[in-house]
Amino acid sequence: MRAKQRKLQLPEKLRWNHNEWYRRWLLRQLPSRAESALDVGCGLGDLARSISDSSRAGNVTAIDASERMIERAGATSDRIKWIHGDVLTHDLGRFDVVTAEASLHHLPLREGLTRLAELTEPGGTLIVIGLYMMSTNADRAMELVTLPANAIVGVAKALNGTGGKPHDTEMPVVMTAPTLPEIREAAAEITPGARIRRHVFWRYSLVWRAPEVH
Ligand SMILES: C[S@@+](CC[C@H](N)C(=O)[O-])C[C@H]1O[C@@H](n2cnc3c(N)ncnc32)[C@H](O)[C@@H]1O
């Protein structure tokens, strides 16, 4: 099921970037040292640059289907291999670390997750921060935490000048996403053993260690 979800919107100046909120968490999931990392659906390349700056991956590659995103991301760092292409079909090889921040819901769930798993080297780590569609009572309970927390962080960011402009206007977005039960079901088949957690601010995480041989 891929239905649209309506969110209560804060006024423009109180909005902020929920993906960025999870970036430090995501970086903490990286192994202490990896040879290679791939960021899928890199957008403007913020996560890829953070991984590169963290020196926890020798080579960082980033792919995005949007030519404009890659053009803009590519202008920000020449230490990263920027690829304009479709992750589902582009010949990429395998990586010790594969990350997908707010991009898996742009792909058909099972096909996308299968592809991310294939791109992960045996023994490597796949880290997803994703969007999901609210569908369960637990999701609704989380919403009771998320709504006030979203407003409080929005006010705090507005006061310290780090809020506003949650999304770049050129960044491709889609308004649909799978539900968490759908994600858990797909992950149980495609990435068995993956740790999936529901987070505040309309996000979930999936961390999977690829078996040594797969
Ligand atoms: C919501 S943006 C997230 C960008 C970035 N990861 C971030 O967190 O700021 C999703 C990105 O996925 C990219 N994308 C969508 N489908 C893709 C595909 N098949 N292959 C590669 N990138 C894709 C879009 O172009 C877009 O830049």
Side-chain angles (χ1 to χ4, degrees), residues 158-186:
L159 290 174
N160 72 16
T162 60
K165 299 226 164 138
H167 297 293
D168 188 278
T169 51
E170 293 188 321
M171 175 103 58
V173 289
V174 294
M175 300 306 288
T176 62
T179 65
L180 260 184
E182 289 169 334
I183 293 160
R184 289 186 196 281
E185 192 183 325

Side-chain angles (χ1 to χ4, degrees), residues 17 19-20 23 39-47 63-66 69 85-88 100-107 131 167 171-174:
N17 187 317
N19 301 327
E20 202 180 300
R23 200 154 298 141
D39 184 40
V40 172
C42 64
L44 292 169
D46 296 343
L47 173 59
I63 183 167
D64 201 285
S66 158
M69 287 294 106
D86 181 346
V87 67
L88 295 176
E101 181 185 270
S103 55
L104 180 55
H105 68 292
H106 283 243
L107 310 173
L131 281 74
H167 297 293
M171 175 103 58
V173 289
V174 294

